[in-house]
Amino acid sequence: MASLLPVERFRGVDLSRVADRARRTLGDDVMILHTRTVREGGVPMVEVLATPSHALESVRARLDAAPLPPTLRKADGRPYGIALVGPTGAGKTTTAAKLAVRRGMFGAARPGLLTLDTYRVGGMEQLATYAELADIPFEVIYEAREIDAAMKRLSADCDVILIDTPGRSPASTELTERWRTLLDVIAPDEVHLVLPASLRADLAVDIARAYATSRTHCGATHLLLSKLDEVPRESGVTDLALSLELPTRWITDGQDVPADLKPGVPRLLRSWGLTADAESDWAPA
């Protein structure tokens, strides 16, 4: 944390005096991150970790995503498009279902589902089942010539479309280029790179770089960290998000649809011990 958020350590025998010293050093807007009791030379001491609040706001600004437009359906009548991309097994399909079926996720706007993932057994069936249960329009696109008709059908009923895509595999360059070409034609407004929170930082950077290199609309605009429930300690998750330099609107922390979907920034700050309850800050749109 110290490398990304400037933190100073203060010790003394009395908490109020230690806190006063932190305020004198860092300013009246100091943010106390952590307080604990330690022993120094056998003497119990109070230790405070603190940072200037403006530094915390700088970190928050790097993580925060711009709010969604108040009216998701665009002036030309097309729905707002949100695509999910990322490696195989990252949880894109389940995340798309969570976003689509969560009540009030996009306010009064009606969601729809579209999948380009026609290569994986079970992926289409999973989304089709959720779409049927939630009475949500659902389309599957195999080829570019199907895009216009599918988008017209969705535009008739939907204000926002969640777009699922296949996992990227270095061994299937041709298939990858095929679905990325389809996504380019669809031209989503946002592209969320879905990565497991347990992914090694160097691999995450390489994957993010691969998804950033696109001629048109496939370039990632946001980060969506998934499977936070599989990370024993979340202390490195915020560092990972900051290192990828993409805003993070949402995270997921389990398989339950739609419950295990949370706002990103409160949860990431909580992993640094900076918020008490990520769920209390939930704001669907």
Side-chain angles (χ1 to χ4, degrees), residues 91-156:
K92 298 184 296 297
T93 301
T94 302
T95 301
K98 291 174 182 176
L99 289 167
V101 307
R102 186 173 188 127
R103 187 179 299 275
M105 182 70 232
F106 301 101
R110 190 180 189 206
L113 281 164
L114 184 154
T115 185
L116 306 180
D117 188 5
T118 58
Y119 313 112
R120 181 171 58 91
V121 175
M124 287 186 293
E125 290 80 2
Q126 181 184 356
L127 278 186
T129 299
Y130 282 117
E132 182 178 4
L133 291 173
D135 190 25
I136 293 171
F138 174 59
E139 294 285 341
V140 180
I141 291 178
Y142 293 88
E143 299 179 11
R145 59 185 174 85
E146 301 171 336
I147 292 176
D148 284 345
M151 294 301 292
K152 285 179 181 177
R153 289 191 293 269
L154 287 170
S155 296

Side-chain angles (χ1 to χ4, degrees), residues 232-249:
R233 296 178 59 189
E234 292 186 16
S235 58
V237 173
T238 306
D239 289 2
L240 175 61
L242 288 168
S243 70
L244 297 180
E245 298 185 346
L246 289 169
T248 305
R249 183 177 292 131

Side-chain angles (χ1 to χ4, degrees), residues 4 49 60 100-101 124 127 217 221 260 272:
L4 297 170
L49 298 182
R60 182 187 290 273
V101 307
M124 287 186 293
L127 278 186
H217 298 283
T221 62
D260 295 332
W272 272 356

Side-chain angles (χ1 to χ4, degrees), residues 127-273:
L127 278 186
T129 299
Y130 282 117
E132 182 178 4
L133 291 173
D135 190 25
I136 293 171
F138 174 59
E139 294 285 341
V140 180
I141 291 178
Y142 293 88
E143 299 179 11
R145 59 185 174 85
E146 301 171 336
I147 292 176
D148 284 345
M151 294 301 292
K152 285 179 181 177
R153 289 191 293 269
L154 287 170
S155 296
D157 294 317
C158 303
D159 303 296
V160 57
I161 301 174
L162 287 313
I163 305 162
D164 189 24
T165 65
R168 179 189 175 101
S169 170
S172 57
T173 303
E174 181 180 347
L175 293 179
T176 297
E177 289 303 315
R178 189 183 305 169
W179 72 255
R180 289 187 71 157
T181 299
L182 296 177
L183 190 61
D184 280 342
V185 175
I186 295 169
D189 298 276
E190 297 182 2
V191 179
H192 291 244
L193 175 59
V194 183
L195 293 178
S198 59
L199 195 64
R200 273 176 25 208
D202 58 334
L203 293 178
V205 170
D206 287 344
I207 292 170
R209 189 176 296 123
Y211 278 98
T213 55
S214 172
R215 294 186 302 275
T216 52
H217 298 283
C218 284
T221 62
H222 295 70
L223 174 68
L224 199 160
L225 289 173
S226 62
K227 304 183 180 183
L228 266 73
D229 57 310
E230 298 180 9
V231 180
R233 296 178 59 189
E234 292 186 16
S235 58
V237 173
T238 306
D239 289 2
L240 175 61
L242 288 168
S243 70
L244 297 180
E245 298 185 346
L246 289 169
T248 305
R249 183 177 292 131
W250 300 300
I251 62 93
T252 72
D253 58 358
Q255 293 296 311
D256 286 351
V257 177
D260 295 332
L261 174 73
K262 306 293 190 306
V265 174
R267 180 60 172 267
L268 292 174
L269 292 181
R270 193 182 75 174
S271 75
W272 272 356

